[in-house]
Amino acid sequence: MTSLQERDHRDGAPQQAQDKPHIVIIGAGFGGIQVAQALKDAPAQITVIDRNNHHLFQPLLYQVATAGLSPADISAPIRHILRKQKNTKVIMAEVTGIDLQAQQVIMQDHVVSYAYLVIATGSRHSYFGHDEWEQYAPGLKSIIDATSLRRKILLAFEAAEIETDSERQRALLTFVLVGAGPTGVEMAGAIAELAHKALASDFRQIDPASARIILVEAAPRILPAFPEKMAGQAQKALHQLGVEVRTNAAVQNITEDGVNIAGNFLAAKTVIWTAGVAASPAGQWLHANVDRAGRVNVQDDLSLPNAANVFVIGDTASVIQDGRPLPGVAPVAMQEGRYVASVINASLHKADKPAAFHYHNKGNLATIGRSFGLADFGWLRLTGFVGWLLWLAVHIVFLIGFRNRLLVLFQWAWAYLTFQRGARLITFDTSKLPENAEIMQHLL
Amino acid sequence: MTSLQERDHRDGAPQQAQDKPHIVIIGAGFGGIQVAQALKDAPAQITVIDRNNHHLFQPLLYQVATAGLSPADISAPIRHILRKQKNTKVIMAEVTGIDLQAQQVIMQDHVVSYAYLVIATGSRHSYFGHDEWEQYAPGLKSIIDATSLRRKILLAFEAAEIETDSERQRALLTFVLVGAGPTGVEMAGAIAELAHKALASDFRQIDPASARIILVEAAPRILPAFPEKMAGQAQKALHQLGVEVRTNAAVQNITEDGVNIAGNFLAAKTVIWTAGVAASPAGQWLHANVDRAGRVNVQDDLSLPNAANVFVIGDTASVIQDGRPLPGVAPVAMQEGRYVASVINASLHKADKPAAFHYHNKGNLATIGRSFGLADFGWLRLTGFVGWLLWLAVHIVFLIGFRNRLLVLFQWAWAYLTFQRGARLITFDTSKLPENAEIMQHLL
């Protein structure tokens, strides 16, 4: 194992730079990138570590899974985002542990020491104790997940086209989404449009428009984060797209052949998990107290109880506000990231510490199909086409990289006018990647 | 095994349609798509079989490998291309054999009978008897090849950034291309621009601009299909981009650590095979006479000597004209495809058979980097920026799918103005796909 700091000395890097405190950020999602960017003028050396070379715009991942966008449209190289920030370097590597005593982050081939550490490693799906369901009902968190799902969905139609048994054909054309939060609702709408519009005239033996898309939710209603009235309107919009919504329907079992819901078996070859998430294994690295979902319990400045220079943010942290944990969404991670940067900056400048972290909810957004959106700002609630335009505007503005914004806008304009989805490409089978599948569990 | 025809009867398809002769086309590359499209009004049933669901615009595959384009930009779903052609259906399946006696194409789960058969299954790389080199020097024929190469190239820079041994760092920043035909020349130019421009300011420990790109060719000069003077100008353009060209340099061995060229060992972690190709295994299916490269010897109407209703076209066929086999390029495959369609059409209408096939060479095109092109039409020879504009125009016009054209044009305009490459996304490791790797050898 080699220390990267040692090497910097050997290479003759200015001694001065080495004397500056080292801030290590693990994970370059919404939270991690915010921390790095907010520290761009800090008198410190910053290292960002990520397993992947790219930052991912997760809210549009369902578009990749349903062949609307290409992976590169919603990704940007981390080093490119941070290229102008001369106090920051980026390492593509997998973290395997953290030594709080020695103040070191351990990777496969080397270690780095830190003065401040920020852990922003995100989350994975949780199957609520039924990990055996994962193989039959994959979730959607990474580019690999999205391209595998795209493959699975498109192959179901291909297999149905050459299937001679009508019952098996029926099962191939049945798509079940488990969990009716924003991801489940958005996926359901997108699959319905894919089947009922984009693929409508491409097959000869089957009618893709006859595909069933079923959204299953254990709770009494969909979209629990939205007001009841808006959720009702969303359910109507789903219905118009041909999505069957089943609420109060708990999933009891998932197999290769289908789903058991509230005592009934539903034959379905494609089941997608859009229900629970669990935090990354950062809690184990830290031997920290975690909540039921594996999220690390933090102080009110987002630091660890036993290490004031170590911070946990985003989906990896359990932050209680008004008696409830904050949801695992991008705005929470981004606000936490900026807050932690301000705490570190204050410490670097020996200034007063900022007041405890407080999340300001600026609103919730969701979309159903190509022209129905929900926007809830508390003081303003919009549904329908206006809601969709707002959803579009916010997502385009927040997408990193000017090129990506234009490309995504172009592809949506195209899809809007023609109902076509451009990325209907079946590539290879990621389920044949046992090693990677294992890596995926560890994040980031 | 089920016969698809049988099933059509069971399903109650009009008996009339079933009585029409069945034309089966294996492979939906440039040749196969032309056959299908030229038969759109034929009084026949047509089935197109391909292992993949997409047609691939191979001439731009090197752009995917060097992070300039996304896979979906140069692919279009086969069934979408042929969706309006009601006499044609598309099957995504892998052909495992052909029974000339029974006139049947055999796939994994079923068989189809044919009245006419067109084999257009393309080619793979040939290592001239050194198949063990493939693992160290992958080639570029499919989307999987391209995304693996992209991963390999981008990971080399990532690994160099954290490498502490300067010799190993040097080997990671050395890229060798074996074979200086159009693909080798285009790849070399694109990697040089990636390293020297797009990545220039993104790293902290290494200077990507110091990367060496070496183009190795056993013959006395590069681009043998072009006139000597144009090849000389191309070599100058490569030199200006920072590519080292080594002619008269035969590769003697390739290992994990580098290449042996003309007695000298060159340490290089990325070696790319852009030399020979070999035909698909169609020759074995047919027990036909093949040439050294595995291409099937055909009659002057492109049919098999022992089966007048079976045709072989494109890279899979060996067609001798003026004493030399025709090259494995898109225009040859496309002209052969249209010719075979005319032969079949004549047979269906009991009309006179067209004269023997003759290829009309309309010209050769190649490009080096973002503003130097070669265009050779015999009567007109253009190099430099004008040649590049022509190269661009021809490629955009022939790219299937209007949306793709606009997207690709946009991405190039962007890359041209900013030197950035948008698809710098490292996804997963296809070398961990033993099963697929095996499938890849079989084509299509």
Side-chain angles (χ1 to χ4, degrees):
Chain A
M1 248 188 257
T2 334
S3 156
L4 284 184
Q5 255 104 4
E6 269 170 37
R7 180 183 38 131
D8 289 349
H9 283 291
R10 272 214 313 280
D11 288 356
Q15 189 64 32
Q16 202 183 346
Q18 303 308 314
D19 293 343
K20 289 183 182 166
H22 191 207
I23 304 168
V24 174
I25 302 165
I26 312 178
F30 286 109
I33 289 282
Q34 285 292 324
V35 180
Q37 287 183 331
L39 289 170
K40 71 173 193 297
D41 298 319
Q45 263 190 288
I46 302 168
T47 299
V48 176
I49 306 171
D50 200 303
R51 251 175 47 88
N52 293 310
N53 79 325
H54 53 273
H55 168 76
L56 177 63
F57 193 77
Q58 278 198 5
L60 292 179
L61 204 50
Y62 81 96
Q63 284 278 350
V64 174
T66 53
L69 294 173
S70 284
D73 298 335
I74 60 162
S75 320
I78 300 161
R79 31 179 100 259
H80 193 69
I81 298 173
L82 299 171
R83 72 192 177 284
K84 290 187 180 151
Q85 209 166 307
K86 294 298 176 197
N87 66 349
T88 305
K89 66 179 179 188
V90 176
I91 295 178
M92 183 183 168
E94 186 154 1
V95 169
T96 54
I98 292 166
D99 186 337
L100 286 177
Q101 221 60 44
Q103 302 209 119
Q104 286 185 326
V105 175
I106 300 152
M107 288 162 278
Q108 267 159 349
D109 296 323
H110 46 257
V111 298
V112 283
S113 301
Y114 60 81
Y116 301 89
L117 175 64
V118 183
I119 298 164
T121 46
S123 58
R124 286 293 299 169
H125 333 292
S126 165
Y127 289 82
F128 307 130
H130 289 281
D131 286 351
E132 71 279 13
W133 293 354
E134 182 164 18
Q135 57 188 309
Y136 310 120
L140 187 64
K141 271 283 168 188
S142 69
I143 289 283
I144 305 181
D145 295 347
T147 51
S148 319
L149 264 180
R150 180 199 290 179
R151 179 184 162 86
K152 197 176 163 105
I153 293 167
L154 294 175
L155 275 181
F157 290 98
E158 295 292 336
E161 174 79 350
I162 51 175
E163 178 57 66
T164 51
D165 179 274
S166 67
E167 213 168 294
R168 281 202 297 264
Q169 203 173 49
R170 192 75 283 201
L172 283 164
L173 293 176
T174 303
F175 301 83
V176 176
L177 296 111
V178 183
T183 305
V185 165
E186 288 174 347
M187 274 289 278
I191 296 175
E193 283 198 340
L194 178 72
H196 300 163
K197 306 279 183 185
L199 299 180
S201 60
D202 286 9
F203 290 82
R204 297 288 178 266
Q205 311 293 336
I206 59 163
D207 176 11
S210 71
R212 287 177 74 191
I213 295 97
I214 303 162
L215 180 61
V216 177
E217 171 61 53
R221 69 175 179 95
I222 68 169
L223 294 173
F226 285 88
E228 191 149 1
K229 193 183 153 203
M230 292 182 88
Q233 288 169 307
Q235 187 156 343
K236 214 172 284 172
L238 283 169
H239 185 73
Q240 272 164 7
L241 279 178
V243 176
E244 301 170 40
V245 179
R246 298 200 191 165
T247 47
N248 287 314
V251 166
Q252 284 138 349
N253 195 19
I254 305 177
T255 68
E256 200 185 344
D257 297 315
V259 197
N260 253 78
I261 308 166
N264 293 309
F265 179 74
L266 179 68
K269 280 293 183 186
T270 309
V271 183
I272 302 168
W273 189 260
T274 49
V277 296
S280 80
Q284 294 157 38
W285 298 342
L286 300 166
H287 308 287
N289 284 326
V290 297
D291 70 3
R292 246 172 20 124
R295 291 176 298 199
V296 177
N297 295 319
V298 291
Q299 309 275 87
D300 65 5
D301 67 348
L302 308 181
S303 70
L304 285 184
N306 55 338
N309 61 338
V310 177
F311 303 87
V312 186
I313 63 172
D315 292 7
T316 322
S318 173
V319 180
I320 308 294
Q321 189 166 306
D322 306 327
R324 286 168 50 182
L326 292 175
V329 295
V332 170
M334 293 169 83
Q335 288 184 29
E336 289 176 351
R338 283 193 295 270
Y339 173 82
V340 163
S342 73
V343 173
I344 294 175
N345 245 329
S347 164
L348 288 170
H349 291 98
K350 308 207 183 327
D352 288 344
K353 193 170 160 177
F357 174 74
H358 188 86
Y359 172 62
H360 299 277
N361 184 357
K362 295 203 179 127
N364 284 318
L365 291 163
T367 181
I368 294 157
R370 60 181 211 131
S371 53
F372 185 95
L374 301 170
D376 173 22
F377 302 100
W379 55 277
L380 177 69
R381 285 174 181 161
L382 299 167
T383 51
F385 189 66
V386 181
W388 181 75
L389 285 179
L390 204 72
W391 175 89
L392 187 72
V394 168
H395 281 76
I396 291 291
V397 167
F398 278 97
L399 193 59
I400 284 180
F402 184 56
R403 170 190 164 278
N404 295 22
R405 273 174 220 167
L406 286 179
L407 270 177
V408 168
L409 204 54
F410 171 82
Q411 308 212 34
W412 274 338
W414 186 260
Y416 189 82
L417 293 170
T418 66
F419 277 107
Q420 284 310 320
R421 304 181 83 83
R424 277 166 48 199
L425 179 71
I426 301 177
T427 51
F428 39 103
D429 188 352
T430 47
S431 69
K432 288 177 189 151
L433 281 170
E435 253 186 273
N436 261 48
E438 209 258 319
I439 287 171
M440 276 160 54
Q441 322 253 330
H442 295 300
L443 286 214
L444 348 171
Chain B
M1 249 189 258
T2 334
S3 155
L4 285 185
Q5 255 102 5
E6 270 169 36
R7 185 193 22 141
D8 289 349
H9 283 290
R10 273 212 311 278
D11 287 357
Q15 189 65 33
Q16 201 184 347
Q18 303 307 314
D19 293 343
K20 288 184 183 167
H22 191 208
I23 305 168
V24 175
I25 302 165
I26 313 177
F30 287 110
I33 289 282
Q34 285 292 323
V35 180
Q37 287 182 330
L39 289 170
K40 71 174 193 296
D41 298 320
Q45 264 190 287
I46 302 169
T47 300
V48 176
I49 307 171
D50 201 304
R51 250 174 47 88
N52 293 309
N53 80 325
H54 54 273
H55 168 76
L56 177 64
F57 192 76
Q58 278 199 4
L60 293 180
L61 203 50
Y62 81 96
Q63 285 277 350
V64 175
T66 53
L69 294 174
S70 283
D73 297 335
I74 61 161
S75 321
I78 299 161
R79 32 179 101 259
H80 193 68
I81 298 173
L82 300 170
R83 73 191 177 284
K84 289 186 181 153
Q85 210 166 307
K86 294 297 175 200
N87 65 350
T88 304
K89 66 178 179 189
V90 177
I91 295 179
M92 184 182 167
E94 184 154 2
V95 170
T96 55
I98 292 166
D99 185 337
L100 285 178
Q101 223 60 45
Q103 303 208 118
Q104 285 185 327
V105 175
I106 299 151
M107 288 162 278
Q108 269 161 347
D109 297 323
H110 46 258
V111 298
V112 284
S113 301
Y114 61 81
Y116 302 89
L117 175 63
V118 184
I119 298 164
T121 45
S123 56
R124 285 293 300 167
H125 332 292
S126 165
Y127 289 82
F128 306 130
H130 289 282
D131 286 351
E132 71 278 12
W133 294 354
E134 182 166 18
Q135 56 188 309
Y136 310 120
L140 187 64
K141 272 283 168 190
S142 68
I143 289 284
I144 305 178
D145 295 346
T147 50
S148 317
L149 264 179
R150 180 199 290 180
R151 180 184 161 86
K152 198 176 162 106
I153 293 167
L154 295 176
L155 275 182
F157 289 99
E158 294 291 337
E161 175 80 349
I162 52 174
E163 178 57 67
T164 51
D165 178 274
S166 66
E167 214 168 293
R168 282 202 296 263
Q169 203 173 48
R170 192 74 284 202
L172 282 163
L173 293 176
T174 303
F175 300 84
V176 176
L177 296 111
V178 183
T183 306
V185 165
E186 288 174 347
M187 274 289 278
I191 296 175
E193 283 197 341
L194 178 72
H196 301 163
K197 307 278 182 185
L199 300 180
S201 60
D202 286 9
F203 291 82
R204 298 289 177 263
Q205 311 292 336
I206 58 163
D207 176 11
S210 71
R212 287 176 74 191
I213 295 99
I214 303 163
L215 181 62
V216 177
E217 171 61 53
R221 69 176 179 91
I222 67 167
L223 294 172
F226 285 88
E228 191 151 0
K229 194 182 152 202
M230 292 182 87
Q233 288 169 306
Q235 187 158 344
K236 215 171 284 170
L238 284 169
H239 185 74
Q240 273 165 7
L241 279 178
V243 175
E244 301 170 38
V245 178
R246 297 199 190 166
T247 48
N248 288 312
V251 166
Q252 285 138 349
N253 196 18
I254 304 177
T255 68
E256 199 184 342
D257 298 316
V259 197
N260 253 76
I261 309 166
N264 294 309
F265 179 74
L266 178 69
K269 280 292 182 188
T270 309
V271 183
I272 302 167
W273 189 259
T274 50
V277 295
S280 80
Q284 296 158 35
W285 298 341
L286 301 165
H287 307 288
N289 285 324
V290 297
D291 71 3
R292 246 172 19 124
R295 292 176 297 199
V296 176
N297 294 320
V298 290
Q299 310 275 84
D300 64 6
D301 69 346
L302 308 181
S303 71
L304 284 184
N306 55 338
N309 61 339
V310 177
F311 303 86
V312 185
I313 62 172
D315 293 7
T316 322
S318 172
V319 180
I320 308 293
Q321 190 166 305
D322 306 328
R324 287 167 50 182
L326 292 175
V329 294
V332 169
M334 293 168 84
Q335 288 183 29
E336 288 175 352
R338 284 194 294 269
Y339 173 82
V340 163
S342 74
V343 173
I344 294 174
N345 245 329
S347 164
L348 288 170
H349 291 99
K350 308 209 184 323
D352 288 343
K353 192 171 160 177
F357 174 73
H358 188 86
Y359 172 60
H360 298 278
N361 184 357
K362 296 202 179 128
N364 284 317
L365 292 163
T367 182
I368 294 158
R370 60 181 212 131
S371 55
F372 185 95
L374 300 170
D376 173 22
F377 300 100
W379 56 277
L380 178 68
R381 286 175 180 160
L382 298 167
T383 50
F385 189 65
V386 181
W388 181 76
L389 285 179
L390 203 73
W391 174 90
L392 186 73
V394 169
H395 281 75
I396 291 290
V397 167
F398 278 97
L399 193 59
I400 284 179
F402 184 56
R403 170 190 164 279
N404 295 21
R405 274 175 218 165
L406 287 180
L407 269 178
V408 168
L409 204 56
F410 172 81
Q411 307 213 31
W412 275 337
W414 186 261
Y416 190 83
L417 293 171
T418 64
F419 277 107
Q420 284 309 323
R421 304 182 83 82
R424 278 166 48 198
L425 179 70
I426 301 177
T427 50
F428 39 102
D429 189 352
T430 47
S431 69
K432 288 177 190 153
L433 282 171
E435 251 187 273
N436 261 48
E438 210 257 321
I439 288 172
M440 274 160 56
Q441 322 254 331
H442 296 302
L443 286 213
L444 347 172

